[in-house]
Amino acid sequence: MSVLENNKNGSADEELLKRFRPASEAETVRDVSKLGEEDLVKLRQTGVVLDAGDRLGTFLQTNCGVTKCECQVHGVEMLPITEALKKYDGLSEYWWKLVSPGKDAFTRETERDLDNGYFIRALPGQKVVYPLQTCLYIRSDNVAQRVHNVIIAEEGSELHVITGCATRPHLTSGLHIGVSEFFVKKGAKLVFTMIHNWGEEIYVRPRTGIRVEEDGIFVSNYVSLKGVKSIQTFPTATLTGARALVRFNSVIVAPEGAHIDSGARVIHEGPESKSEIISRTISYGGTVIARGHLVGKAPDIKAHLECQGLMLSERGVIHAIPELEAHIADVDMSHEAAVGRIAREEIEYLMARGLSEEEATSTIVRGFLNVKIDGLPRELEEELQAAVDECHKGM
Amino acid sequence: MLKIQDLWVDVQGKEVLKGINLEIGRGETHCLFGKNGSGKTTLLMTLMGFEGYKVKHGNIIFKGKDITNMSVNERAEMGIGLSFQRPPTLRGVKLRDLLTICAKDADRAVSLALSYGFEDFLDREVNLGFSGGEIKKSELLQLLAQDPDFTLLDEPESGVDVENLNVIGEMIKKLLQKDIHRNRTKSGLIITHTGFILNYVTADRGHVMLDGKIMCQGNPLEIFEGIQKYGYQECIKCQF
């Protein structure tokens, strides 16, 4: 059982919650045109583009209110979750089915007083290759934003969602709680890319559950490169159907002062299901806990876990915690973990090709962070590179 | 072009090179024979300036300048290039990027890869899952892109199958300007313990290294024949 579930910090969590006011007490922004230039820049840096025509579907929530919710894609439904609950009679098949409301103080808080969130559903057989975007934005100081999201990829559908989570520059404090429940039905595919771009004083508590049915595919890409006070995220995917496949890729940079407790769990209940958890983490003085937990309960499954950590400062901490748990004999489960500084011979190899030590280090770090990110737009890749380069300047 | 004067080098506190003297002129290719562990690779690593190869005594003069304490990249900028025997894998770094770094020009990098049939490797991560021959080809492509005046080749034929040896040989010839017969400006030092590379590339002079010292110098083919017939034992006895 993970630390997150054990939650020995229950009372500390309650204390943390008390420090913030509900997002509903903060201003709401009902239209994109009401956002300022610095908001737009920050959102762009988080992969959220609000110019007309760039994305076919956009959900943007600022504090507690919906700023934009528009989707032009045939066969895809996008609604604020509060509307979806009304329309679908409480979404009883999906609501709180993959995350337990009693899990911890944050889920209890979200159940008690929800701000909003998004609902996205791809109808059966609809394949949408253009990414839809969602964004949860905190714009006011000292706010606790509580959202609950549901994504449903119906049978045989395909859906790509990019979600950017950010705070307005210079906020002095904030808390984001995001409960997410994703359902990938028979033969469906969901690619979910999340970019975190919070501020240095922000606490972030995503609570995510995913269910993947027979022949379904779920791919999660998670990127967090900027300063943040504390992130605690541990999505759990249950592969209920045969041949279901899930892949978690994450790229995490912890600057000084950041505490990022991240990872993923995959429970294999379907035979011949496959999973892969790959994380690349860098500490520039902050703390990263890179978890991975694979649970094999069905025959002929294949599960692999890889944590690679680079220590680029003498002060930080990288703590890799890979766990393999087999309940039957007929499983193929493995893990690899390596943490350390950049190998001297790699730096010298590049120096022999004419790069300075600094350029060589930066090239290796860029390569290290170059986890293949499925469906990531070009401008976002550039942003990622720029962020990495920026991290380097201070070294 | 290169002059090594009474060079003594320690690796991890152990004396490996014990007074090396060697001079390689402009346009010349020299071949360094020696058993595994004799100090050949240490000499190359020291010439390139890698950390961990501590010069205790002596000098390395390149193009008239003392480079003994210069950084690796300064030496590269001055025109020294090295083909590694076992280069490290660079995760996430594409060969295309590395060749562009070497060539300082993306188009030239690509056209070089094309001319040696290596275009399928451009988007592969450097050395990841490369075979022995592919590693050597990749190393030589990087050097061709870099275009050094002085090339250090560490066992360029090791792990290469016969079919690829021809290509490797052609690449080395190109690097060392074997296609022109007068006024060559490029020099090279080739390390080999088997000597087979001499079937593909001619050398002007050969040296035999034993236990950190150069014991014998002369015509490379004659040395190679001697080693094939009698092994290195003969060199130990001979002491010219």
Side-chain angles (χ1 to χ4, degrees), chain A residues 90-146:
Chain A
L91 288 165
S92 58
E93 269 181 71
Y94 306 102
W95 196 241
W96 291 113
K97 288 293 181 275
L98 303 178
V99 177
S100 157
K103 181 183 169 69
D104 58 28
F106 304 107
T107 52
R108 281 194 296 276
E109 169 73 9
T110 309
E111 191 199 24
R112 194 183 61 76
D113 191 8
L114 178 69
D115 289 320
N116 217 324
Y118 54 80
F119 171 82
I120 301 174
R121 184 165 81 109
L123 300 183
Q126 289 295 328
K127 291 189 193 297
V128 184
V129 290
Y130 295 104
L132 308 178
Q133 66 180 356
T134 64
C135 174
L136 301 160
Y137 187 53
I138 301 180
R139 195 167 184 264
S140 306
D141 261 324
N142 211 29
V143 150
Q145 183 185 51
R146 298 144 308 179

Side-chain angles (χ1 to χ4, degrees), chain A residues 38-338:
Chain A
E38 68 167 4
D39 297 308
L40 296 174
V41 168
K42 181 77 184 253
L43 290 173
R44 230 178 352 253
Q45 289 171 347
T46 315
V48 181
V49 277
L50 296 168
D51 312 324
D54 273 351
R55 295 270 197 266
L56 294 173
T58 296
F59 173 89
L60 167 61
Q61 177 176 335
T62 307
N63 294 336
C64 83
V66 177
T67 306
K68 185 173 182 177
C69 181
E70 269 177 32
C71 183
Q72 299 154 16
V73 184
H74 175 72
V76 174
E77 200 177 2
M78 182 187 252
L79 295 168
I81 196 77
T82 44
E83 281 180 35
L85 285 166
K86 280 181 211 146
K87 183 174 175 185
Y88 292 110
D89 207 17
L91 288 165
S92 58
E93 269 181 71
Y94 306 102
W95 196 241
W96 291 113
K97 288 293 181 275
L98 303 178
V99 177
S100 157
K103 181 183 169 69
D104 58 28
F106 304 107
T107 52
R108 281 194 296 276
E109 169 73 9
T110 309
E111 191 199 24
R112 194 183 61 76
D113 191 8
L114 178 69
D115 289 320
N116 217 324
Y118 54 80
F119 171 82
I120 301 174
R121 184 165 81 109
L123 300 183
Q126 289 295 328
K127 291 189 193 297
V128 184
V129 290
Y130 295 104
L132 308 178
Q133 66 180 356
T134 64
C135 174
L136 301 160
Y137 187 53
I138 301 180
R139 195 167 184 264
S140 306
D141 261 324
N142 211 29
V143 150
Q145 183 185 51
R146 298 144 308 179
V147 303
H148 190 150
N149 313 307
V150 172
I151 299 180
I152 304 165
E154 296 283 3
E155 270 192 40
S157 67
E158 181 173 340
L159 196 56
H160 293 248
V161 177
I162 294 177
T163 185
C165 299
T167 41
R168 187 182 199 175
H170 318 301
L171 288 198
T172 55
S173 72
L175 167 67
H176 168 86
I177 307 172
V179 175
S180 296
E181 300 183 278
F182 300 158
F183 300 84
V184 181
K185 299 200 178 169
K186 192 174 165 183
K189 179 178 182 181
L190 171 61
V191 177
F192 183 77
T193 300
M194 181 153 77
I195 291 108
H196 273 178
N197 190 4
W198 304 103
E200 283 165 12
E201 295 303 326
I202 310 298
Y203 293 82
V204 185
R205 296 290 181 265
R207 298 292 183 258
T208 307
I210 302 118
R211 190 171 76 204
V212 188
E213 297 178 5
E214 195 178 322
D215 295 310
I217 296 173
F218 175 72
V219 179
S220 158
N221 301 307
Y222 174 57
V223 178
S224 178
L225 299 172
K226 298 289 179 63
V228 64
K229 186 82 183 176
S230 157
I231 295 178
Q232 198 188 62
T233 176
F234 194 66
T236 295
T238 308
L239 308 186
T240 58
R243 297 172 302 278
L245 184 149
V246 62
R247 192 177 295 139
F248 285 96
N249 299 317
S250 57
V251 174
I252 296 167
V253 174
E256 196 147 0
H259 187 281
I260 302 175
D261 184 338
S262 72
R265 171 185 292 147
V266 181
I267 301 168
H268 289 261
E269 292 177 354
E272 296 175 62
S273 54
K274 285 185 183 158
S275 70
E276 201 172 56
I277 300 175
I278 296 179
S279 72
R280 304 258 187 278
T281 61
I282 289 187
S283 170
Y284 282 98
T287 297
V288 189
I289 303 173
R291 298 172 191 276
H293 185 190
L294 298 171
V295 185
K297 293 182 168 176
D300 300 318
I301 64 138
K302 197 169 166 56
H304 181 66
L305 176 57
E306 204 180 303
C307 314
Q308 306 283 343
L310 266 192
M311 291 287 291
L312 296 182
S313 159
E314 295 302 326
R315 289 185 297 276
V317 175
I318 295 179
H319 184 174
I321 312 177
E323 293 179 73
L324 303 180
E325 185 183 326
H327 289 257
I328 59 170
D330 200 5
V331 296
D332 174 357
M333 302 171 77
S334 58
H335 79 72
E336 250 182 273

Side-chain angles (χ1 to χ4, degrees), chain B residues 13-187:
Chain B
K14 192 174 166 262
E15 202 168 69
V16 180
L17 299 184
K18 302 164 185 174
I20 301 286
N21 289 291
L22 185 67
E23 209 172 323
I24 299 173
R26 190 176 144 104
E28 289 177 8
T29 300
H30 288 215
C31 205
L32 184 63
F33 301 93
K35 285 198 290 192
N36 286 329
S38 58
K40 304 187 302 294
T41 294
T42 296
L43 178 62
L44 254 53
M45 297 291 153
T46 309
L47 291 177
M48 200 68 235
F50 293 143
E51 205 179 85
Y53 298 85
K54 304 270 178 257
V55 176
K56 292 299 201 189
H57 184 81
N59 300 91
I60 305 165
I61 314 291
F62 180 64
K63 293 182 178 171
K65 206 168 168 184
D66 189 334
I67 63 162
T68 317
N69 298 308
M70 248 184 209
S71 70
V72 177
N73 53 308
E74 282 170 331
R75 296 179 201 216
E77 290 298 334
M78 275 189 77
I80 303 182
L82 168 67
S83 161
F84 288 68
Q85 194 187 353
R86 287 187 207 86
T89 298
L90 300 180
R91 288 274 188 162
V93 180
K94 289 177 182 168
L95 185 61
R96 180 191 300 277
D97 303 331
L98 185 51
L99 287 176
T100 305
I101 287 168
C102 295
K104 297 187 168 77
D105 176 353
D107 294 341
R108 199 165 76 81
V110 171
S111 68
L112 266 171
L114 279 170
S115 56
Y116 290 97
F118 218 56
E119 61 274 19
D120 291 347
F121 286 75
L122 283 171
D123 289 316
R124 295 259 305 259
E125 294 172 50
V126 177
N127 299 326
L128 182 66
F130 285 20
S131 71
E134 287 159 359
I135 283 181
K136 300 297 174 190
K137 266 195 205 173
S138 147
E139 288 294 298
L140 291 169
L141 262 183
Q142 290 169 44
L143 286 179
L144 284 163
Q146 213 177 336
D147 194 25
D149 293 330
F150 190 88
T151 304
L152 303 164
L153 299 159
D154 195 353
E155 308 275 5
E157 78 274 40
S158 76
V160 183
D161 54 65
V162 180
E163 203 175 309
N164 276 308
L165 267 174
N166 269 321
V167 185
I168 298 288
E170 288 306 315
M171 294 171 95
I172 296 174
K173 281 190 210 166
K174 183 86 192 156
L175 264 171
L176 299 175
Q177 291 178 326
K178 299 295 183 191
D179 49 348
I180 58 174
H181 299 285
R182 267 170 223 272
N183 302 326
R184 280 183 196 140
T185 56
K186 307 278 185 185
S187 312

